[in-house]
Amino acid sequence: AEAAHFQSGAVSWERVEGSTRTVVFTLRTMWLRSYSAESVFAGSGLDLRAVPGDTLDLTGTEPVELDVGDGSAPYALRLLVQKASAGEDFVYGVSTVMHTYQSG
């Protein structure tokens, strides 16, 4: 599969206070803003593309998902746009997922 629209990303996690099995994953990702004829990154900008404050469902040929590694169904990601540039052709944002692992 080709994913030329994905530019970079980082994943971090932290345990939810007071819980031994619940964590919050934070994904920071940057994408090619002009990607796709269907406009995956459509938003409220003057050019109808994503701008800071927009929330996007990350889709394409297939949805962008986080697999937390325990056999549970993957989480589809929503991107809260924090930065975007038409001139530099990028959109950057944060996705968060809360997951509780079963005791094992």
Side-chain angles (χ1 to χ4, degrees):
E2 190 173 318
H5 53 290
F6 177 76
Q7 301 296 299
S8 66
V11 179
S12 62
W13 66 274
E14 63 182 344
R15 186 175 298 140
V16 172
E17 189 173 333
S19 174
T20 58
R21 298 185 329 252
T22 302
V23 298
V24 174
F25 292 93
T26 302
L27 296 88
R28 292 173 173 78
T29 55
M30 185 163 56
W31 304 83
L32 190 65
R33 187 172 178 263
S34 63
Y35 172 72
S36 112
E38 295 84 36
S39 197
V40 170
F41 301 113
S44 62
L46 293 177
D47 61 355
L48 303 179
R49 298 287 180 163
V51 294
D54 287 345
T55 301
L56 311 172
D57 292 318
L58 292 177
T59 60
T61 306
E62 298 179 13
V64 178
E65 299 175 328
L66 175 68
D67 183 336
V68 295
D70 65 354
S72 60
Y75 292 88
L77 297 180
R78 292 182 57 99
L79 184 75
L80 174 58
V81 177
Q82 295 187 326
K83 298 178 184 177
S85 171
E88 296 178 56
D89 196 17
F90 77 86
V91 60
Y92 168 86
V94 175
S95 305
T96 56
V97 170
M98 183 179 291
H99 180 74
T100 300
Y101 289 92
Q102 300 300 314
S103 59

